[in-house]
Amino acid sequence: MPELPEVETVARGLQREVAGRRVVSVTLGKTDFMDNPAEMERLLPGAVIRVVERYGKFMLLRLNPAEPGEETALLVHLGMTGMMMPKPAGEPHAKHTHLVALLDDGRELRYVDPRRFGRMAMLSGETLQKELSRFGADPLQVRLEEFLERIRSRKARIKALLLDQSVLRGVGNIYADESLWKAKIHPAQLGARTSLEQTERLYHALQGILEKAIVLRGSSISDFLDADGEPGEYQLHHRVYGREGKACPRCRTKIRRIVVAGRSSYFCPNCQRAPRGRKHAVRTKPVLRRGASKGSAKVAAVKK
Ligand SMILES: [Zn+2]
């Protein structure tokens, strides 16, 4: 699933390509992943795409509505296989194209999603504010003091805290595992038991990894493409994620995979020592994340 660096990459591409363009008309395909397709058909035509930005793992297309009114935005979650990019109007539509917005420059902004685990919602005024307020701090903007507080005041496992979108918005499985490895913290360690020094290491590791991944336009696993249709390159720099049985780049110990908070977690058992009393693999029940999107249950069910 696209995480912060992948969504940032797509949002920057769309900002470059479609910001300032007016939507002329909208055609929808399958709408079962859309909160309010009728509102999209009503509010998108005539609206100008003011700015495209990332909010956690979502993209926000902030709009100047056709008629003066409340602040309006199209919220887009790419799910596992969603892609959003502009194409010349004459180009044939790819299979699984579910939104086509004709723009005033003759191109079409298209959303393609074979599995439809994504989400799309037209939000205005209070509904928009309410939706955004459900999410925690942005890991690239959060100050060290706030980060320490958010992690160390909680009894949940640190991996679960990193994935909890109400704690930090935008981190998913790949970048959680990579930053815990870099900071030498076991994924099953409790937030409250993490030392100041460890948590500070994690803060810098997470920011450094996210920034590097954005430069490399994200990780392309499960078909991720940016707004120009190009894959990212950060997957070539993964140290533990998806590398079970391979040597840890730091100490050559074999990378292991355990389940923490219902998710696969890759770690080095030598560099990332198990919390006391927990030498073996830890299984915990999946946590229903506050602020999770409608599609999350489906996603959790199919992820390994
Ligand atoms: Zn190691």
Side-chain angles (χ1 to χ4, degrees):
M1 182 197 291
E3 302 180 26
L4 187 154
E6 292 78 39
V7 180
E8 179 75 32
T9 301
V10 177
R12 285 184 187 184
L14 290 176
Q15 167 66 19
R16 202 172 54 233
E17 290 288 330
V18 304
R21 301 263 61 101
R22 182 183 302 275
V23 177
V24 176
S25 62
V26 171
T27 314
L28 302 182
K30 291 203 169 125
T31 59
D32 54 356
F33 65 100
M34 299 175 184
D35 285 23
N36 45 8
E39 284 294 278
M40 288 167 54
E41 285 176 321
R42 184 172 76 82
L43 292 171
L44 276 173
V48 173
I49 302 169
R50 184 161 56 81
V51 62
V52 183
E53 57 188 30
R54 177 188 59 78
Y55 196 88
K57 294 185 208 172
F58 287 87
M59 281 194 297
L60 263 187
L61 283 72
R62 293 189 185 268
L63 307 167
N64 285 336
E67 288 167 23
E70 294 176 311
E71 191 191 3
T72 304
L74 179 65
L75 183 82
V76 180
H77 192 297
L78 298 168
M80 289 178 79
T81 51
M83 281 177 282
M84 198 168 203
M85 52 186 88
K87 294 279 183 191
E91 201 169 291
H93 291 175
K95 212 175 164 189
H96 310 294
T97 299
H98 301 303
L99 174 134
V100 176
L102 176 65
L103 305 175
D104 59 356
D105 62 359
R107 290 179 305 161
E108 289 175 347
L109 179 60
R110 298 178 184 175
Y111 181 80
V112 180
D113 191 351
R115 298 177 75 175
R116 300 201 307 285
F117 288 134
R119 178 186 167 203
M120 223 176 253
M122 198 77 199
L123 302 169
S124 303
E126 259 180 52
T127 328
L128 174 60
Q129 292 316 317
K130 203 173 157 197
E131 175 75 30
L132 300 185
S133 70
R134 298 193 298 128
F135 296 96
D138 190 292
L140 288 177
Q141 290 165 7
V142 66
R143 292 166 54 90
L144 176 62
E145 296 71 29
E146 191 188 343
F147 184 82
L148 295 175
E149 163 69 20
R150 281 177 180 268
I151 298 294
R152 301 187 70 230
S153 65
R154 306 283 293 267
K155 282 198 182 126
R157 302 190 187 287
I158 197 150
K159 173 72 182 274
L161 290 174
L162 287 174
L163 296 181
D164 184 338
Q165 300 298 298
S166 71
V167 175
L168 291 171
R169 58 178 196 257
V171 183
N173 220 21
I174 297 176
Y175 299 100
D177 283 3
E178 291 295 316
S179 50
L180 287 171
W181 175 81
K182 189 154 190 208
K184 301 184 183 172
I185 301 172
H186 193 282
Q189 174 138 340
L190 298 183
R193 292 261 179 90
T194 310
S195 72
L196 262 180
E197 192 200 340
Q198 281 182 316
T199 318
E200 198 169 331
R201 262 200 330 255
L202 178 63
Y203 173 79
H204 294 296
L206 180 60
Q207 289 197 339
I209 284 169
L210 291 173
E211 278 162 8
K212 184 173 179 192
I214 289 170
V215 171
L216 293 172
R217 304 186 335 284
S219 300
S220 279
I221 50 170
S222 75
D223 313 328
F224 168 74
L225 295 177
D226 68 15
D228 302 315
E230 298 290 331
E233 285 175 6
Y234 193 73
Q235 68 280 5
L236 305 174
H237 298 265
H238 291 173
R239 299 291 184 253
V240 283
Y241 183 83
R243 300 188 72 246
E244 186 180 12
K246 295 189 177 145
C248 165
R250 202 156 39 203
C251 74
R252 314 312 293 169
T253 304
K254 275 188 181 175
I255 305 287
R256 286 186 57 201
R257 184 176 73 90
I258 55 170
V259 175
V260 180
R263 300 291 299 276
S264 278
S265 298
Y266 298 91
F267 74 108
C268 169
N270 182 42
C271 296
Q272 296 163 270
R273 289 302 171 91
R276 243 178 299 164
R278 289 197 171 269
K279 284 188 181 160
H280 304 291
V282 180
R283 278 183 183 273
T284 54
K285 283 182 186 167
V287 178
L288 235 178
R289 278 172 282 152
R290 211 154 61 84
S293 69
K294 255 188 347 187
S296 296
K298 282 192 289 183
V299 173
V302 299
K303 293 209 104 171
K304 60 170 182 167

